[in-house]
Amino acid sequence: MANKRDLKKFIRNTCGALAVDMIFARESFNQIDRKAVHDIVLDAARLQGKTIRRVNFSYDRTPESFDDYKAYKKARSLYYRQAYSSLLSDFNTDVAEIVKKMNAALPEEVRKAIKDAIS
């Protein structure tokens, strides 16, 4: 991501799309359990809130001197790269869990109807 704003938009859009897809599936197919849909939408909302709260972090060190600035800059860059990598990895893992729950909430006849509609 280019900046925090773009990362937050990505997180909101992804979680929103998960929730909307599940609500749309529930409205399209009456066989889907309303409780499962409710739980999945809540999981997506919790994931969004939890991940957006984790986006704001800072490097807590300052350069000691002008000579130390290159080392400071390199260490800061590495810190942010690892932090964002960890954030996105955790986010992707949680999204995969939500998608598994979404697939489990769909009865077999609904999955077959969706496959038939696609092909």
Side-chain angles (χ1 to χ4, degrees), residues 9 13 17 20 24 32 36 41-42 47 68 83 88 92 102:
K9 283 180 185 179
N13 290 340
V20 167
F24 181 73
I32 298 174
V41 171
L42 282 179
L47 174 62
D68 189 41
L88 288 175
N92 288 335
M102 290 171 73

PDB file of all heavy atoms in Angstrom, residues 9 13 17 20 24 32 36 41-42 47 68 83 88 92 102:
ATOM      1  N   LYS A   9      -8.591   1.940   3.409  1.00  0.00           N
ATOM      2  CA  LYS A   9      -9.642   1.767   2.394  1.00  0.00           C
ATOM      3  C   LYS A   9      -9.705   0.321   1.936  1.00  0.00           C
ATOM      4  O   LYS A   9     -10.785  -0.252   1.762  1.00  0.00           O
ATOM      5  CB  LYS A   9      -9.377   2.676   1.193  1.00  0.00           C
ATOM      6  CG  LYS A   9      -9.723   4.112   1.421  1.00  0.00           C
ATOM      7  CD  LYS A   9      -9.435   4.923   0.171  1.00  0.00           C
ATOM      8  CE  LYS A   9      -9.656   6.398   0.385  1.00  0.00           C
ATOM      9  NZ  LYS A   9      -9.341   7.182  -0.829  1.00  0.00           N
ATOM     10  N   ASN A  13     -12.965  -1.948   2.355  1.00  0.00           N
ATOM     11  CA  ASN A  13     -13.588  -2.500   1.157  1.00  0.00           C
ATOM     12  C   ASN A  13     -13.645  -4.020   1.192  1.00  0.00           C
ATOM     13  O   ASN A  13     -14.648  -4.620   0.807  1.00  0.00           O
ATOM     14  CB  ASN A  13     -12.856  -2.028  -0.091  1.00  0.00           C
ATOM     15  CG  ASN A  13     -13.049  -0.562  -0.366  1.00  0.00           C
ATOM     16  OD1 ASN A  13     -13.985   0.058   0.124  1.00  0.00           O
ATOM     17  ND2 ASN A  13     -12.150   0.026  -1.124  1.00  0.00           N
ATOM     18  N   ALA A  17     -17.094  -6.025   1.474  1.00  0.00           N
ATOM     19  CA  ALA A  17     -17.466  -6.955   0.396  1.00  0.00           C
ATOM     20  C   ALA A  17     -17.831  -8.324   0.958  1.00  0.00           C
ATOM     21  O   ALA A  17     -18.778  -8.961   0.483  1.00  0.00           O
ATOM     22  CB  ALA A  17     -16.326  -7.076  -0.600  1.00  0.00           C
ATOM     23  N   VAL A  20     -21.354  -7.899   2.509  1.00  0.00           N
ATOM     24  CA  VAL A  20     -22.385  -7.716   1.476  1.00  0.00           C
ATOM     25  C   VAL A  20     -22.631  -9.009   0.709  1.00  0.00           C
ATOM     26  O   VAL A  20     -23.776  -9.353   0.414  1.00  0.00           O
ATOM     27  CB  VAL A  20     -21.990  -6.562   0.521  1.00  0.00           C
ATOM     28  CG1 VAL A  20     -22.857  -6.556  -0.717  1.00  0.00           C
ATOM     29  CG2 VAL A  20     -22.092  -5.237   1.245  1.00  0.00           C
ATOM     30  N   PHE A  24     -26.212 -10.725   0.575  1.00  0.00           N
ATOM     31  CA  PHE A  24     -26.816 -10.948  -0.747  1.00  0.00           C
ATOM     32  C   PHE A  24     -27.158 -12.430  -0.937  1.00  0.00           C
ATOM     33  O   PHE A  24     -28.233 -12.763  -1.449  1.00  0.00           O
ATOM     34  CB  PHE A  24     -25.876 -10.470  -1.848  1.00  0.00           C
ATOM     35  CG  PHE A  24     -26.431 -10.634  -3.222  1.00  0.00           C
ATOM     36  CD1 PHE A  24     -27.446  -9.813  -3.671  1.00  0.00           C
ATOM     37  CD2 PHE A  24     -25.954 -11.620  -4.065  1.00  0.00           C
ATOM     38  CE1 PHE A  24     -27.983  -9.954  -4.944  1.00  0.00           C
ATOM     39  CE2 PHE A  24     -26.478 -11.779  -5.341  1.00  0.00           C
ATOM     40  CZ  PHE A  24     -27.496 -10.948  -5.770  1.00  0.00           C
ATOM     41  N   ILE A  32     -30.343 -20.550   3.510  1.00  0.00           N
ATOM     42  CA  ILE A  32     -29.201 -20.167   4.323  1.00  0.00           C
ATOM     43  C   ILE A  32     -29.691 -19.706   5.704  1.00  0.00           C
ATOM     44  O   ILE A  32     -30.636 -18.927   5.818  1.00  0.00           O
ATOM     45  CB  ILE A  32     -28.387 -19.053   3.645  1.00  0.00           C
ATOM     46  CG1 ILE A  32     -27.839 -19.561   2.315  1.00  0.00           C
ATOM     47  CG2 ILE A  32     -27.242 -18.592   4.525  1.00  0.00           C
ATOM     48  CD1 ILE A  32     -27.136 -18.500   1.489  1.00  0.00           C
ATOM     49  N   ALA A  36     -26.225 -17.857  11.013  1.00  0.00           N
ATOM     50  CA  ALA A  36     -24.882 -17.983  10.433  1.00  0.00           C
ATOM     51  C   ALA A  36     -24.502 -16.707   9.683  1.00  0.00           C
ATOM     52  O   ALA A  36     -23.364 -16.230   9.784  1.00  0.00           O
ATOM     53  CB  ALA A  36     -24.808 -19.185   9.502  1.00  0.00           C
ATOM     54  N   VAL A  41     -21.298 -11.704   9.339  1.00  0.00           N
ATOM     55  CA  VAL A  41     -21.257 -10.248   9.183  1.00  0.00           C
ATOM     56  C   VAL A  41     -20.599  -9.605  10.404  1.00  0.00           C
ATOM     57  O   VAL A  41     -19.783  -8.680  10.267  1.00  0.00           O
ATOM     58  CB  VAL A  41     -22.674  -9.679   8.935  1.00  0.00           C
ATOM     59  CG1 VAL A  41     -22.682  -8.168   8.996  1.00  0.00           C
ATOM     60  CG2 VAL A  41     -23.198 -10.154   7.572  1.00  0.00           C
ATOM     61  N   LEU A  42     -20.910 -10.095  11.588  1.00  0.00           N
ATOM     62  CA  LEU A  42     -20.253  -9.584  12.801  1.00  0.00           C
ATOM     63  C   LEU A  42     -18.757  -9.879  12.799  1.00  0.00           C
ATOM     64  O   LEU A  42     -17.956  -9.031  13.209  1.00  0.00           O
ATOM     65  CB  LEU A  42     -20.895 -10.178  14.049  1.00  0.00           C
ATOM     66  CG  LEU A  42     -22.221  -9.580  14.480  1.00  0.00           C
ATOM     67  CD1 LEU A  42     -22.757 -10.295  15.719  1.00  0.00           C
ATOM     68  CD2 LEU A  42     -22.090  -8.107  14.748  1.00  0.00           C
ATOM     69  N   LEU A  47     -13.298  -7.914  12.386  1.00  0.00           N
ATOM     70  CA  LEU A  47     -12.010  -7.964  11.686  1.00  0.00           C
ATOM     71  C   LEU A  47     -11.625  -6.581  11.179  1.00  0.00           C
ATOM     72  O   LEU A  47     -10.473  -6.158  11.315  1.00  0.00           O
ATOM     73  CB  LEU A  47     -12.068  -8.956  10.524  1.00  0.00           C
ATOM     74  CG  LEU A  47     -10.841  -9.000   9.619  1.00  0.00           C
ATOM     75  CD1 LEU A  47      -9.606  -9.425  10.404  1.00  0.00           C
ATOM     76  CD2 LEU A  47     -11.088  -9.930   8.448  1.00  0.00           C
ATOM     77  N   ASP A  68      24.536   8.945  12.330  1.00  0.00           N
ATOM     78  CA  ASP A  68      23.745   7.746  12.572  1.00  0.00           C
ATOM     79  C   ASP A  68      22.461   7.723  11.729  1.00  0.00           C
ATOM     80  O   ASP A  68      21.727   6.748  11.756  1.00  0.00           O
ATOM     81  CB  ASP A  68      23.396   7.677  14.057  1.00  0.00           C
ATOM     82  CG  ASP A  68      22.765   6.359  14.444  1.00  0.00           C
ATOM     83  OD1 ASP A  68      23.246   5.323  13.939  1.00  0.00           O
ATOM     84  OD2 ASP A  68      21.807   6.382  15.231  1.00  0.00           O
ATOM     85  N   ALA A  83       6.298  -4.744  10.040  1.00  0.00           N
ATOM     86  CA  ALA A  83       5.022  -4.494  10.720  1.00  0.00           C
ATOM     87  C   ALA A  83       3.851  -4.595   9.741  1.00  0.00           C
ATOM     88  O   ALA A  83       2.840  -5.242  10.040  1.00  0.00           O
ATOM     89  CB  ALA A  83       5.042  -3.123  11.385  1.00  0.00           C
ATOM     90  N   LEU A  88      -0.750  -7.496   7.290  1.00  0.00           N
ATOM     91  CA  LEU A  88      -1.436  -8.050   6.119  1.00  0.00           C
ATOM     92  C   LEU A  88      -1.522  -9.569   6.177  1.00  0.00           C
ATOM     93  O   LEU A  88      -2.524 -10.160   5.751  1.00  0.00           O
ATOM     94  CB  LEU A  88      -0.751  -7.591   4.836  1.00  0.00           C
ATOM     95  CG  LEU A  88      -0.964  -6.118   4.499  1.00  0.00           C
ATOM     96  CD1 LEU A  88      -0.143  -5.729   3.273  1.00  0.00           C
ATOM     97  CD2 LEU A  88      -2.432  -5.821   4.263  1.00  0.00           C
ATOM     98  N   ASN A  92      -5.048 -11.445   6.075  1.00  0.00           N
ATOM     99  CA  ASN A  92      -5.368 -12.456   5.066  1.00  0.00           C
ATOM    100  C   ASN A  92      -5.776 -13.785   5.703  1.00  0.00           C
ATOM    101  O   ASN A  92      -6.678 -14.463   5.205  1.00  0.00           O
ATOM    102  CB  ASN A  92      -4.185 -12.658   4.130  1.00  0.00           C
ATOM    103  CG  ASN A  92      -3.988 -11.483   3.207  1.00  0.00           C
ATOM    104  OD1 ASN A  92      -4.911 -10.737   2.920  1.00  0.00           O
ATOM    105  ND2 ASN A  92      -2.766 -11.299   2.746  1.00  0.00           N
ATOM    106  N   MET A 102     -18.204 -18.747   5.418  1.00  0.00           N
ATOM    107  CA  MET A 102     -19.214 -18.436   4.401  1.00  0.00           C
ATOM    108  C   MET A 102     -19.534 -19.683   3.587  1.00  0.00           C
ATOM    109  O   MET A 102     -20.705 -19.969   3.322  1.00  0.00           O
ATOM    110  CB  MET A 102     -18.708 -17.313   3.491  1.00  0.00           C
ATOM    111  CG  MET A 102     -18.629 -15.964   4.162  1.00  0.00           C
ATOM    112  SD  MET A 102     -17.787 -14.717   3.176  1.00  0.00           S
ATOM    113  CE  MET A 102     -19.024 -14.381   1.923  1.00  0.00           C
TER     114      MET A 102
END
